[in-house]
Structure formats: C-alpha cells, structure tokens
Amino acid sequence: MKRFNEFIKQLSLTQQLFALIFCFVTFFALFFFVYLNENVDQVLRGREYDMIKENQETSVALKENTILSGQDKYPVIANVQTISFVIQDGRGYQSSNLGASEAEWECILNDIATMNKKGASEWSGFYPGGKKDSYYYITKVDDNQYLISRSVSSSFDKYKDELVSRVIYITVIVVGFFFIILMMWVITLIHPLNQIRNYIERVKQGKDAELHVNRKDEIGELAEALISMREELRKQEKTKEDMIHNISHDLKTPIATIKSYGESIKDGIYPYETLEKSVDVIIENADRLENKVHSLLFMNRVEYLISQDAEGISSDMKEIVEKVVQANKVIKPEIEFITDLEEVWFDGLAEPWRVAVENIVENALRYAKTKIEIHLNEEEGLTIANDGPCMEEDRIKVLFKPYEKGQGGKFGLGLSIVSKVVAANHYEVCGENTEDGVIFRITKPKPEGKKGR
C-alpha cells in the first residue's frame, strides 16, 4: 500500500486522470461481460420458468376433471401456446406431443430422480439444444405421475443480447458524458496550476513574472496568496536593504567616533575637553554599538533560545515586569511608572520574556510624555501603555515586522523580537492607539468555543 501511494504521488494530474479512466473502463467491462451477463441469463431463465409454471397451472385447472377421472396411466395432453403437458408414469413414458429428444428425455428422467431423492414437489430444468434451447417444469401429481411442461425458445439469446446491448448503450452514453465533463473540469484545474508553477519558476529565477488566474475558488485564492506573498517579500527585501544600509550607517558612526577619539587620545589630544569626558564618549558609543549588535544577534537566535527545553516551563511575569521597571526607572526619572501587577505565569522561558518586556518598555520610554502604565492580570494579560503621540494607521499594520522604519525615521528590531517571542510561546501581541497615547497588549488566545461574551 505504501509503494502504491508513493507511485500515485509521482503521477501528474493528467496521468492520474487517465489511470482513473482505465480503471473505470476495466471495471465496467468486467461488470457487463461477467456479472451482468450471468445475471441476465438468470433473470431470463427465471422468467421463462415462471411463464411455464403459470401456463401449467392454468391448463391443470382447465383439465382437472380429466386428470382426476382415473386416466392416470395415460398421457393427458393440453396445448397452451408452445407448451405441452404430459402425465408420465413410472415406466418413463412420454407423450409424443412433448417433443423431447431421447437425450433431453433422459435429462428429464434424471431430474425426476433427483427431485424424488430430495423430496421436492416441483423442479425446473434447462436443456441446451444449440439453436433452440428448451426449458421444462416438473410438477409431481402423485407417487408415479408427473406433469411435465416444456417450452422451446429460439429467441433467448436474441432477448439477452438486446437487453445487454441496451444497458451497455445507455451506460456508455452516461459514462461518456460524465468523462467529457470530468476531462473539461480537470483541464480547468491543470491549466491554472501550470500557470502557477511557471510563475513560481520565474520568480525563483529572479525574472519578471505575472500571474492572471481568473478564478474565485481555492486555486484563485492560492494565486492571489502567491502574488500577495511575492509583493510582501519584495517589500521586505527592499525594507531589509534600507535597514542594512541604515544599520551600516548606525554602526559606522560609533565605530568612526571610537576610532577618531582613540587616535586623538593616543596623540595626547582630548577631543571633548578632558581625558575623562573623551573616554566617556568612547564608552557611550561602544554601548550604542553593543546594543545594536546585541539586537541583531538576538533576532537571529531568539527562536532557537525559545525552543530550548521550554516545554512545560512557565515564567513569573510579575517578577519579570518588576525587574524591568526597576532597571528603566533611572533612565528617565521624569517618567512615572504606574503598575498594577497580579501574580500571573506565562508559558515559556523567563529570559526571552524579559527581553520582550524590555523592548516594549524601551519603546514606551522613547515616546512617553509623563507616564507609563503597566497592568498584569489573568483576564487581560499584560498591557503596557504610554501617553505619547498616537501612531499612524499604516504604522500599526507593520508594527511588529522586522526592518520597518519607526517614527522619526529610525529602524529597529525591538518590536520584531517581541513578536517572535510572543508567537513562539503561542501568545498574541498587538499595538493600539488610545485617547491619550498608545497601548501594547500581550494575551493568551482563547479556545475557539470560548471566544466572545
């Protein structure tokens, strides 16, 4: 079965279609020429026997007085259509009107013997006669007398062939019509799929490509998704190039500063008044450089970090938030931190969650005017709000995408790292405008059956 499945998977849709047609035709051929042929024989023979029996019963009713008048040792003959009747005694006598050949009569006598052996009162038989087949029906009158009805049919094969031909003819028309529709349907599938394949090949080779699939079904949705994905990748690639350019510039600036200040100090010149202040500038730029490199490295390893032995591990978010708030209070003492924290545990390792909270808080500190409010509870999850300027709607849509330019034209990876941490632990994050600023929410998705109120 496994090999068969592998073989089927290697076939194209066209090959699968022709294989299906071949199997279908083979099945119907076997059905018509084996099963149906045999059953038609049985039906026609059964009908022949029923007709003989009906006519026999009618004739017996008409000749009842003659049969019961004591003439039990002599043949009683009555003709009804092509059927002859005879009473046969124990000596194996047959009426000349029965018309059976010696071989057929021997066959009838053998059936009578079999009938007596089995204790049956009625028996039906068939004798092949070449061009004319004969059918007979035996009814036991008493211990020594049997009523034998015989019919010769030369039209059996004709009826059979006509019946089978009509069934085959009708079935072929229906199946043919079905296959025409099936072929047309499969062609409508194969053509757009080939278009999609050629489109992907051209995109893979870096060539210009267009895809026009005028369908509203799943294939059309797939084509639209591919086009949208390509546009998104091109946009991200462009943004990434801009990001790399700006990062290069951002890295180049502190490196140049550190280098120039170091060379000046080596020559005994203090660019920023005193040696101490000049060294502070070097340290400050080294910190900037370290933070940027740390963000780039953490962006690349965050998924690996999250996946390490995190199954079944939970982190105390109240403790994490308190540590982050404590560390950031001194950065801007004029910004008030307002917290309302309950003891809540989030799935995942503590270190990635701390980095995610730090990045949101740093973002809030960058734009906050007077305060940052942080709430943590089971119902709403974690929310971090600031009273800074509201975000533009276009900015909200790409808030957590990497390499996106933020307000003030700065590129950053902080919120992208937040998105990776949250998604890896199966949570959701979003940013929204409020009446007096911006709020970030980290929540656990509710089960399907529990959504809404």
Side-chain angles (χ1 to χ4, degrees):
M1 181 61 71
K2 185 177 180 181
R3 290 183 178 180
F4 178 76
N5 289 335
E6 292 296 327
F7 173 73
I8 293 297
K9 291 177 181 178
Q10 292 175 2
L11 299 179
S12 65
L13 283 176
T14 305
Q15 291 172 328
Q16 292 181 33
L17 175 63
F18 281 110
L20 181 64
I21 293 174
F22 174 77
C23 293
F24 201 75
V25 170
T26 303
F27 168 78
F28 268 94
L30 294 173
F31 174 78
F32 281 119
F33 296 107
V34 179
Y35 176 80
L36 184 63
N37 201 49
E38 181 65 25
N39 278 268
V40 168
D41 281 351
Q42 294 179 5
V43 170
L44 290 177
R45 287 176 183 173
R47 180 56 187 156
E48 194 78 23
Y49 294 137
D50 290 342
M51 185 177 67
I52 296 173
K53 185 178 179 181
E54 289 172 4
N55 283 285
Q56 186 185 81
E57 292 172 350
T58 303
S59 296
V60 168
L62 292 174
K63 296 296 180 177
E64 184 179 6
N65 293 331
T66 305
I67 295 174
L68 297 176
S69 65
Q71 303 175 17
D72 51 356
K73 295 182 182 297
Y74 297 94
V76 178
I77 302 168
N79 291 323
V80 179
Q81 296 178 357
T82 61
I83 301 175
S84 300
F85 300 89
V86 64
I87 293 178
Q88 182 264 337
D89 62 17
R91 293 171 296 175
Y93 173 81
Q94 70 161 314
S95 166
S96 60
N97 197 43
L98 187 63
S101 65
E102 290 297 327
E104 184 179 350
W105 182 244
E106 288 297 325
C107 184
I108 293 173
L109 291 177
N110 289 334
D111 282 350
I112 290 174
T114 304
M115 185 175 73
N116 287 330
K117 186 178 180 180
K118 293 187 176 182
S121 59
E122 296 179 341
W123 195 267
S124 59
F126 164 76
Y127 184 80
K131 294 182 179 180
K132 293 185 178 181
D133 299 328
S134 63
Y135 302 84
Y136 51 86
Y137 197 85
I138 307 171
T139 302
K140 188 173 183 179
V141 178
D142 57 30
D143 291 341
N144 296 313
Q145 295 180 344
Y146 304 87
L147 184 60
I148 304 170
S149 304
R150 178 175 176 270
S151 173
V152 178
S153 174
S154 60
S155 58
F156 179 83
D157 290 335
K158 177 182 177 182
Y159 292 150
K160 173 185 170 183
D161 293 341
E162 183 177 352
L163 179 60
V164 172
S165 296
R166 288 189 178 184
V167 173
I168 293 176
Y169 179 71
I170 294 172
T171 306
V172 167
I173 291 177
V174 173
V175 173
F177 182 71
F178 167 75
F179 274 123
I180 290 173
I181 295 176
L182 182 63
M183 284 287 291
M184 294 175 63
W185 179 68
V186 171
I187 289 172
T188 61
L189 293 180
I190 293 174
H191 179 65
L193 289 176
N194 284 333
Q195 284 183 290
I196 292 173
R197 183 191 61 190
N198 294 334
Y199 174 79
I200 294 174
E201 287 294 329
R202 292 186 65 84
V203 170
K204 185 172 67 174
Q205 295 171 6
K207 299 179 181 179
D208 291 334
E210 293 185 357
L211 181 61
H212 301 287
V213 178
N214 189 22
R215 298 175 69 105
K216 301 300 180 182
D217 55 9
E218 289 80 359
I219 294 180
E221 292 175 357
L222 173 63
E224 291 178 1
L226 286 172
I227 294 172
S228 177
M229 181 185 70
R230 188 195 180 200
E231 292 300 321
E232 180 65 23
L233 290 174
R234 291 172 72 176
K235 181 181 177 183
Q236 287 193 15
E237 188 65 27
K238 178 66 168 61
T239 307
K240 187 176 180 179
E241 290 177 0
D242 293 341
M243 175 67 181
I244 292 173
H245 175 76
N246 283 274
I247 287 177
S248 300
H249 183 270
D250 287 348
L251 294 178
K252 199 181 300 180
T253 300
I255 289 174
T257 302
I258 292 171
K259 183 179 180 180
S260 61
Y261 270 58
E263 290 175 349
S264 298
I265 293 173
K266 181 179 179 181
D267 294 335
I269 302 172
Y270 308 133
Y272 198 62
E273 298 178 359
T274 65
L275 174 62
E276 183 178 349
K277 289 184 178 181
S278 298
V279 171
D280 286 340
V281 172
I282 293 176
I283 294 173
E284 179 186 352
N285 281 275
D287 289 339
R288 287 177 56 200
L289 189 61
E290 182 183 21
N291 290 334
K292 293 181 183 298
V293 172
H294 176 74
S295 294
L296 287 171
L297 293 177
F298 191 81
M299 182 70 175
N300 289 326
R301 73 184 182 93
V302 64
E303 292 179 356
Y304 171 79
L305 180 64
I306 294 168
S307 65
Q308 296 305 296
D309 300 324
E311 187 69 28
I313 296 177
S314 299
S315 300
D316 186 351
M317 289 302 291
K318 179 180 179 182
E319 180 181 351
I320 291 173
V321 172
E322 287 175 344
K323 288 181 179 179
V324 172
V325 170
Q326 190 65 33
N328 283 273
K329 274 184 176 180
V330 297
I331 297 176
K332 285 188 176 182
E334 68 275 14
I335 302 298
E336 179 186 7
F337 279 86
I338 303 172
T339 60
D340 179 14
L341 308 176
E342 296 179 5
E343 189 170 341
V344 178
W345 292 75
F346 276 20
D347 298 335
L349 297 171
E351 180 60 23
W353 277 121
R354 176 167 181 168
V355 173
V357 175
E358 283 178 346
N359 288 348
I360 296 178
V361 170
E362 287 175 3
N363 182 275
L365 273 175
R366 189 178 301 123
Y367 301 108
K369 296 177 181 176
T370 60
K371 64 180 179 178
I372 294 175
E373 295 186 26
I374 304 177
H375 297 269
L376 176 65
N377 55 63
E378 288 286 355
E379 183 64 24
E380 296 182 358
L382 175 64
T383 62
I384 302 174
N386 68 81
D387 59 351
C390 292
M391 297 181 291
E392 298 179 357
E393 291 299 323
D394 292 340
R395 170 65 179 155
I396 294 176
K397 295 178 181 178
V398 296
L399 195 58
F400 298 98
K401 291 185 178 181
Y403 316 118
E404 291 292 338
K405 187 184 296 185
Q407 290 178 334
K410 294 183 178 181
F411 286 81
L413 297 173
L415 294 182
S416 178
I417 292 174
V418 172
S419 177
K420 280 185 175 289
V421 172
V422 170
N425 290 309
H426 310 294
Y427 285 74
E428 294 178 347
V429 62
C430 66
E432 304 171 3
N433 288 323
T434 62
E435 293 182 359
D436 57 353
V438 174
I439 186 170
F440 289 88
R441 305 180 191 274
I442 298 178
T443 56
K444 183 76 171 177
K446 294 181 180 179
E448 289 293 329
K450 297 183 178 180
K451 288 184 178 181
R453 294 184 178 179

